[in-house]
């Protein structure tokens, strides 16, 4: 009886541990999901910057003055604007790469957390099923104790344990003997 009680307690402890681990994995998955949602606006900002500099060049680049030479226009207006655009594009691209890497890492972590939660959930169901089966065995054991008497059942259990211990000892001795003979 105490052996079954110990096993039931052990399985119940395992179930509680699995529940806690599953809850922890779900919380971690939620955290990663929230972080992915935080990154989405950053991507939108980059798209907005790209759109800002994708406007019609005539609107971004001012008209040349009537007396202004091509070289002067190039040096004073076009070149600074192009440098500004290149600088912004590099910044946008670097930000994009950074966000992309972070997103990939978060996606991977999120997938791992979801997989872990699913595995823990499956393990929880296995342990729960096993627990139900053991409860049924305990009920049957209690019925046998009522019918045969507590002392008689305890005696039978002790005799069986001693028999199993003796069998284990015999098998160990045989293996030991075989190992010595093999040398």
């Amino acid at each position: 009886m105490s052996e079954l009680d110990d096993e039931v307690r052990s399985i119940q402890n395992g179930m509680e541990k699995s529940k806690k681990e599953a809850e922890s994995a779900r919380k971690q998955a939620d955290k990663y999901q929230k972080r992915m949602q935080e990154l989405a606006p950053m991507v939108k900002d980059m798209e907005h910057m790209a759109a800002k500099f994708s406007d019609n060049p005539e609107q971004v680049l001012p008209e040349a003055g009537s007396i202004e030479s091509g070289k002067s226009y190039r040096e004073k207006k076009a070149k600074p604007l192009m440098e500004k655009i290149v600088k912004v594009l590099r910044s946008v691209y670097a930000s994009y790469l950074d966000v992309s890497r972070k997103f990939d890492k978060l996606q991977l972590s999120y997938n791992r957390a979801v997989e872990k939660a699913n595995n823990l959930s499956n393990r929880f169901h296995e342990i729960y099923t096993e627990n139900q089966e053991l409860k049924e065995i305990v009920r049957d054991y209690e019925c046998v104790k009522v019918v045969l008497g507590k002392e008689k059942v305890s005696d039978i259990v002790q005799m069986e344990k001693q028999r199993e211990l003796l069998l284990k000892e015999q098998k160990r001795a045989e293996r030991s003997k075989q190992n010595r003979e093999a040398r």
Side-chain angles (χ1 to χ4, degrees):
M1 170 73 179
S2 66
E3 192 175 304
L4 285 176
D5 287 341
D6 290 343
E7 195 169 340
V8 168
R9 273 191 227 102
S10 171
I11 289 176
Q12 286 175 337
N13 289 340
M15 283 177 44
E16 290 174 17
K17 184 179 177 185
S18 293
K19 281 182 186 178
K20 288 177 184 176
E21 288 176 355
E23 185 60 32
S24 171
R26 281 190 190 94
K27 285 180 182 177
Q28 193 174 12
D30 290 343
K31 181 178 91 171
Y32 290 134
Q33 184 70 29
K34 190 181 288 185
R35 182 70 176 129
M36 287 184 345
Q37 290 173 348
E38 289 173 4
L39 290 176
M42 293 172 74
V43 173
K44 292 284 186 195
D45 289 344
M46 284 187 274
E47 290 173 355
H48 177 71
M49 285 178 95
K52 179 180 175 185
F53 286 100
S54 296
D55 287 344
N56 190 354
E58 279 110 30
Q59 293 175 347
V60 177
L61 196 61
E63 289 287 326
S66 58
I67 311 176
E68 191 171 22
S69 71
K71 183 176 182 180
S72 169
Y73 179 77
R74 177 178 176 260
E75 293 298 318
K76 291 182 180 174
K77 295 180 181 171
K79 207 171 182 182
L81 181 63
M82 289 303 293
E83 288 171 357
K84 198 178 195 184
I85 290 172
V86 167
K87 185 178 179 181
V88 168
L89 287 176
R90 285 183 180 155
S91 150
V92 166
Y93 184 68
S95 297
Y96 166 77
L97 289 177
D98 186 44
V99 168
S100 178
R101 278 191 297 273
K102 286 180 182 177
F103 179 78
D104 290 342
K105 285 180 184 177
L106 283 172
Q107 189 71 39
L108 186 63
S109 297
Y110 175 76
N111 289 339
R112 276 193 222 126
V114 167
E115 185 178 326
K116 184 177 179 182
N118 289 339
N119 289 340
L120 287 172
S121 180
N122 291 340
R123 180 69 181 134
F124 169 76
H125 289 297
E126 289 172 9
I127 289 173
Y128 180 78
T129 302
E130 185 177 345
N131 188 12
Q132 294 304 316
E133 291 169 0
L134 287 173
K135 283 181 179 179
E136 185 64 32
I137 291 170
V138 168
R139 281 192 286 273
D140 292 346
Y141 181 75
E142 292 297 324
C143 288
V144 169
K145 275 179 32 179
V146 169
V147 172
L148 295 177
K150 186 175 182 178
E151 291 79 25
K152 188 169 185 176
V153 171
S154 293
D155 291 343
I156 292 170
V157 169
Q158 288 304 319
M159 286 185 338
E160 181 59 25
K161 284 181 180 179
Q162 288 175 355
R163 188 184 70 77
E164 287 176 2
L165 189 61
L166 189 61
L167 283 174
K168 278 185 182 178
E169 187 63 32
Q170 287 174 351
K171 286 181 181 179
R172 189 185 63 74
E174 285 178 25
R175 279 188 297 230
S176 178
K177 183 180 176 182
Q178 288 173 352
N179 287 341
R180 276 186 257 133
E181 289 173 358
R183 292 181 200 171

